[in-house]
């Protein structure tokens, strides 16, 4: 079946512009995660959605970052007034549920470059 | 914070076993230990997870210390396709802490 998809694959933008990144999770997966991965670094947790519960936004680095999810489907991560330090790969993952044993399935990521 | 410590890099010869260590001294009694790996230019993929007992699956084995403060991912016969960054992860609340992982190089 289809895995997690993300779009665009690559995005180049100018400092100060807003960008929107999209994630389509696996159908039926109630949990969705966004991560950021800077070059040569590990993954930083950004935000977590679980069903209709309020999202866990504790990983968002600043108020320029926000994310939404429509029900248990597509999610968008928005970065306003982009800065050069926002350049990174943004990864989305989904899982069937929220139990500790659930496997996360990752998308290929969106590579963001802020000039 | 549920943090893990891994060596930055390791090398292995092809067809030989690889033991990837991970320290997680702050683990709590209910934390599962997860391992993911990330091939170049791809998102991470699940490898294995466990709680207390050693675990085996088609990809690898996971050996967990009796005090659960460390674990070892075992690849029984490394292949060139196993070259990746391996992450040992604990979950704290809704967050999975990936750290910087171990970059595994497989030598032909």
């Amino acid at each position: 079946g289809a895995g997690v998809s993300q779009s665009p694959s690559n995005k180049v933008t100018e400092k100060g512009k807003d960008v929107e990144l999209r994630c389509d999770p696996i159908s039926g997966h109630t949990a969705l995660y966004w991560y950021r991965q800077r070059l040569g670094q590990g993954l930083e947790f950004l935000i977590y959605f679980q069903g209709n519960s309020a999202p866990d936004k504790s990983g968002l680095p600043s108020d320029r970052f926000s994310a939404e999810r429509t029900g248990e489907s597509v999610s968008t991560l928005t970065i306003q007034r982009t800065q050069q330090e926002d350049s990174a790969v943004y990864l989305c993952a989904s899982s069937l549920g929220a139990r500790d044993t659930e496997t996360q399935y990752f998308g290929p990521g969106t590579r963001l470059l802020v000039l | 914070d549920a943090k893990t410590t891994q060596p930055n890099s390791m090398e292995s010869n092809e067809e030989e076993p690889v033991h990837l260590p991970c320290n997680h001294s702050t683990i709590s009694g209910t934390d599962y230990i997860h391992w993911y790996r990330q091939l170049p230019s791809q998102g991470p993929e699940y490898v294995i997870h466990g709680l207390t007992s050693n675990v085996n699956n088609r990809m690898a084995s996971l050996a967990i210390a009796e005090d659960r403060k460390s674990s070892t991912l075992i690849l029984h016969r490394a292949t060139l396709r196993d070259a990746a960054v391996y992450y040992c992860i604990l979950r704290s609340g809704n967050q999975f802490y990936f750290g910087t992982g171990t970059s595994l190089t497989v030598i032909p």
Side-chain angles (χ1 to χ4, degrees), chain A residues 33 35 37 40-43 45 48 56 58-59 91 98-108 111, chain B residues 30-32 34 36 38 40-46 49 87 91 93-101:
Chain A
Y33 304 79
Y35 296 89
Q37 187 172 32
Q41 303 295 312
L43 279 70
F45 166 82
Y48 162 77
D56 178 349
S58 57
L91 290 156
R99 294 182 304 165
D100 281 350
T101 54
E102 296 289 356
T103 297
Q104 292 187 55
Y105 295 86
F106 282 82
R111 285 159 183 76
Chain B
T30 57
D31 285 343
Y32 277 81
H34 300 257
Y36 282 71
Q38 187 173 25
S41 300
Q42 295 187 25
E45 63 177 357
Y46 169 81
H49 74 273
Y87 296 98
R91 180 175 181 172
N94 297 322
Q95 300 194 19
F96 285 79
Y97 291 92
F98 274 73
T100 54

Side-chain angles (χ1 to χ4, degrees), chain A:
Chain A
V4 177
S5 61
Q6 293 186 244
S7 61
S9 300
N10 295 280
K11 177 72 176 179
V12 181
T13 190
E14 294 179 348
K15 179 182 172 181
K17 300 282 189 183
D18 298 351
V19 295
E20 237 181 45
L21 311 179
R22 177 187 170 107
C23 172
D24 284 274
I26 294 172
S27 178
H29 281 197
T30 63
L32 187 146
Y33 304 79
W34 281 98
Y35 296 89
R36 177 172 70 179
Q37 187 172 32
R38 291 190 166 120
L39 188 64
Q41 303 295 312
L43 279 70
E44 300 172 68
F45 166 82
L46 296 177
I47 190 168
Y48 162 77
F49 295 90
Q50 170 54 41
N52 294 318
S53 302
D56 178 349
K57 304 179 182 180
S58 57
L60 294 178
S62 77
D63 59 8
R64 295 187 296 105
F65 287 73
S66 63
E68 292 183 349
R69 187 179 186 193
T70 308
E72 292 184 352
S73 61
V74 64
S75 175
T76 55
L77 176 69
T78 302
I79 308 173
Q80 295 178 310
R81 305 180 302 281
T82 52
Q83 304 294 313
Q84 289 181 331
E85 64 261 28
D86 298 334
S87 296
V89 176
Y90 289 83
L91 290 156
C92 173
S94 70
S95 63
L96 192 57
R99 294 182 304 165
D100 281 350
T101 54
E102 296 289 356
T103 297
Q104 292 187 55
Y105 295 86
F106 282 82
T110 293
R111 285 159 183 76
L112 175 65
L113 177 61
V114 182
L115 300 176

